[in-house]
Each structure stands twice: as C-alpha cells, then as structure tokens.
Amino acid sequence: MERPLTQYIHPDGTPRLLGEYVKAGGYRSLHTLAAGIAPQDLQRLVAEAGLRGRGGAGFPTASKWSFVPMGSDAPKPKYIVANADEMEPGTFKDRVLLEGEPHGLVESMIIAGYALEAEVGFIFLRGEYHRSAERLTQAIAEAYAEGYLGKPLPGTTFCFDLHLHASAGRYICGEETALLNALEGKRAIPRAKPPYPQTVGLWGQPTIVQNVETLYNLPQIVNHGSAWYHGLSRSKDGGTKIYGISGRVTHPGWWELPLGTTARELLEQHAGGMFNGVSFRGLLPGGASTAFLTQEHLDLPMDYSSIPPQVGRLGTGTMIVLDDQTCPVGFVLNLEKFFARESCGWCTPCREGLPWVARILESFEEGLATDDDLALLEMHAKVLGPGHTFCALAPGAMAPLQSALKYFRDDFERHISLGRCPWSNKPTQLRVLV
Amino acid sequence: MLTDTERRELEEALKHYPDKRAGAIDALLIVQRRRRWISDDSLLDIAQFLGMTGEDVDSIATFYNLIFRKPVGRHMAFICDSISCWIMGYEQVRAQIQKSYEIELGQTTRDGRLTFLPIACLGHCERAPAMMIDQDLYGNVTPEKVETIVEKYE
C-alpha cells in the first residue's frame, strides 16, 4: 500500500532536513517545471488526477484553479495561501504533515505557484502549532539558501517567494475569506462572495487558498502522473487520504490510506475496534462540523462522493467516535459551546443563535429541559442551517445537532423524562416552574 | 515606546506585506512575546508605529484568542476542552487544576506563575486529553499527571 504523503516521515515525528529530503526524491518535481512544462499543462494534469480539496469541502482543485486569470494580462502579483489553520475539533491531519515533512509544503507551494503563475506564497499557520512553525521556518530558510525560493527556477523566469504567517487564534480564520482578512491584519470576518478570491483576494489580487493536505498531493501528481494517482484510490476521486480516529478506540491515531477506505475498516482494523467494555454508537467522519454516521453507514467508502448529501459529508476525514458510555447530548453540547465561542459575531443568527443552542443543551444536561426545548433545537437546526447565515460556521455547527436529533432522539427524550442526564451521577436539579 | 529589538522584528515582519497595517497581528505578537500581555500603552505604541488608531489596533487585539489584554502569569497553560479531550477526560483534568491551584480556567495562580486558559482543539486528539504550557505540548494527560507537568514551570 503506497503512502506517498507520509512514507518518509520519521516514526518519532522529527522532520527531514533538506539533504535527507532531496535524497529521498524531494524537490524532484521542480525538474519537471524546469524542463518547461506549461502552467496550463500542469493545471490539466491536476484536473486529470481528480484531486479534491482535503480541507473539508472536497471541491475539485482544478475547478478552483480555473477561475484564476492567467497570461501576461493577468493582474500581478497573484498569491497562493496554504491554509494551515487547523482548528476543527477532532482534526489533526495537517499537523502530522507540517511537523513531519515541512519541506513537502514548500515544494508543493512552489508547484502551485508555477501552475497559477503566482509569485508569492503565504503559509497561514495556527498560532498554537509552535513545532510546525519552527520546522517550517527552518525548511523555508533552507529552500531559500538552496535557491528553490527567491531565485528563478533554472531554465525558467519563474521565481517564487514564500512567507510564514503565524496566526493569533480563532476558528473562523480557517474560512477562506476570513483568512484573507486575517492575513491583511484585520479581524477575521468572512467576506461577501462574489467577488471570489480567485479574482479578488489578498489585497485585491487573484488568490488561491488551499488546504495543507491538498497541496502535499501536487509533487506526487507531477512526479508520477494522473493514472498512478488514480490507482492509489478506491474511489473515483484520486489519491490517498490521511484519516484519523479519536475517542474511546483501542488505538487512536492517523493513517494514510486509499481514498474510499470504509469507516468499518478504519475503526476495526486500523484503530483496533472499540476500547475494552464500550460499544460503538456513532462517529463524526471529519471533525466537529460533520453529521453523525451510525452503524448502518460503516461500510460507506469514506470519500467525497460516496456519502449521500442527505446523510452528511466526509469533512476532514479525521473521525471522532461516540461510544455508549458517553452522553450524546453532552457530546453535542461540547461542540455547540465551541462553535458559540468561536463565532466571529458578524451575523446575528450565528452570534445569537449558537449561544442559545448551547444554553438549551445545557438545560438538557441539567435535567431542566422540556418537550418545547426539543422543538426549539429543531427550529435552530433549520434557521441556522445552510443559506441563513453569512458563512458556513453556523450551518457546520448544526450538522452534528441535526443528526443527533435524528439518531439519538431517544436520549434527548430520556433527559426530559428522567429530569437528569442518564450518564451523569449528579443529583437531579430542581425545576423551577414560573 | 517600542524597544529597538521590537522595532527591528516588526520591520522584518513588515517586509512580507505590501502595507503596514497587515503587520498589526505580528506586532501584537512580537510585543506580547516580551511583555507577556498588551497594555494600553503597548497598544498605542503599536498603533503609532503602524499609523493606525488605538481603537483599530484594539479591535484586532480583542478579536484573537492568543492576544492578552490583561496581565497573565509567567507561563501560559492551555487546556484543550474540545470534543476528543472531553470524551477522554478533560473534565477530570480541569477539576484537578481547580483543586490543586484553587483557581478556575481563565485565572492566574496567586504567585503569578501560571495562567490557565481553555483552548480549542490543539490537534493532539489521538493523545487526548491534551494541554500545552508555553510551547510544550502534552498528551494523555491524567489528573495524576497535572501537578508533575506543571511543576516544571517556575
């Protein structure tokens, strides 16, 4: 089983310095650029490979790129931004790459820059990822010293500069346009679209914002071609995926596997099944903003096409498992508190609605909820859903709630009928009737 | 007044951007690295350096989680309260902190040594519960381990 993205990562997670990276074939893709491949041909190659964004939405990379103005009349400069603001609860895949193979991101960004004739790149890194920052800083310095950055690539006029920007925290910074505002030194509030960043992005210039894992696929596609890339996958979308599992499983961790690996294989074979004495109830397939999948979905291939939209979406592919000794209402409450805290406050439904949802869920856990509260949760799941808010933060927050109301409704009702959380030993609280 | 070192670092950061304002977040982080928090005076110094108003810089400083507008301890202890850590025992870890140091998250120990703050997902979910002190990341934290970890920071 090939693991092109992670095969050389040291078992202890220490990164490879430039010499070791080059010895293992690193920066080989730059020879293809130096040999004179046209940017449009590089874009075609990525389209043929069927690369889809690994940040959560799964948008085809080549389609995203197709809106960038190209040629000598295109506005200059153009920017490539690596979205390394990994802050989705339950998600830890990009950290693995950033810490273990920092030169991989530098190489990937040079390729993206070449394909889009963009001269400048930024890595927008989570402020808490100190180890990644150290390693990327060193990799960028080494790449400058070697002439991969800051000088024309041999035989070409293409020259790429790369900067690392450490963020100061906030989940919303991971949203494409909020990230651009943060890079411009402003509050990270999403921008209205259109115009889209591909034409009007960073400082008004054409900009592509791309997830870290997505970018790491580029050198592999350039080196091995689209047919090989498709062969890595069990799905119609190309490549491998860094999957992860956390929660009460025997071996929580991450694995690079063919895209389309089933949730059952991940859970039972790679994570070693559930932890002693607990049973599986459900999982979020890719972070806090995805909908629950349950036993009936375990044989679905975990890719961007196989999960029916009415069931949910893959998201980041790093799963959070719900077991039978964990309260599903408490689980969703934790998620909603996170989203309420991280709302940027720009639009009213999100700013006011998410704390309201969190308070209602708290009342379930405290044994104070009534049937009306269930109806209120249903209402919020609709009015904070897609199309009602400025960006996708609130709809993302509603995905686990909506699916929890569907699959674990009995548990919500038990909270009401018992007047307490069935998983908690806390004494029943007094219900004050006014 | 910004120190010469702060000015040098800030000027270096500004080289990456086409306009000065873009350096606002970097400036706050640069100053905070040495002074631990952003006082009103520091804020105005940064604003003056970048040609912005104090209100502008404050609107940025108060937006981001890692900028502190109140004094903090000599060390920052971030306790991940996100879902994987919650499943794996975050609440017991928090309870131990409250018991050992007689404080809530968001407060500083009486001796000014540590400020404990909740934080969203540290990306260490496979080793939940996780905590980070300054730049050091800890996984599989249990209530029993809390004091041993914290003792390293004077």
Side-chain angles (χ1 to χ4, degrees), chain A residues 179-248:
Chain A
L179 182 151
L180 298 178
N181 275 337
L183 252 180
E184 292 183 6
K186 301 171 185 163
R187 290 171 84 110
I189 291 165
R191 296 177 179 176
K193 293 190 275 193
Y196 290 90
Q198 288 96 323
T199 50
V200 182
L202 204 50
W203 293 292
Q205 298 297 113
T207 304
I208 283 288
V209 180
Q210 203 92 60
N211 165 260
V212 164
E213 186 188 351
T214 316
L215 286 161
Y216 272 80
N217 283 276
L218 297 177
Q220 312 306 327
I221 293 169
V222 171
N223 288 337
H224 303 290
S226 56
W228 170 88
Y229 189 72
H230 270 289
L232 294 172
S233 171
R234 290 187 202 158
S235 123
K236 69 177 184 182
D237 309 321
T240 57
K241 178 81 193 77
I242 300 180
Y243 294 103
I245 295 188
S246 63
R248 288 193 178 121

Side-chain angles (χ1 to χ4, degrees), chain A residues 72-113:
Chain A
S72 53
D73 294 337
K76 299 278 178 185
K78 292 191 268 184
Y79 295 105
I80 303 289
V81 182
N83 187 344
D85 193 61
E86 185 172 66
M87 200 171 166
E88 176 94 350
T91 300
F92 50 98
K93 66 188 183 68
D94 294 341
R95 177 180 59 80
V96 169
L97 294 169
L98 296 165
E99 289 182 3
E101 195 70 288
H103 272 290
L105 185 58
V106 178
E107 182 180 359
S108 303
M109 291 200 66
I110 296 171
I111 296 168

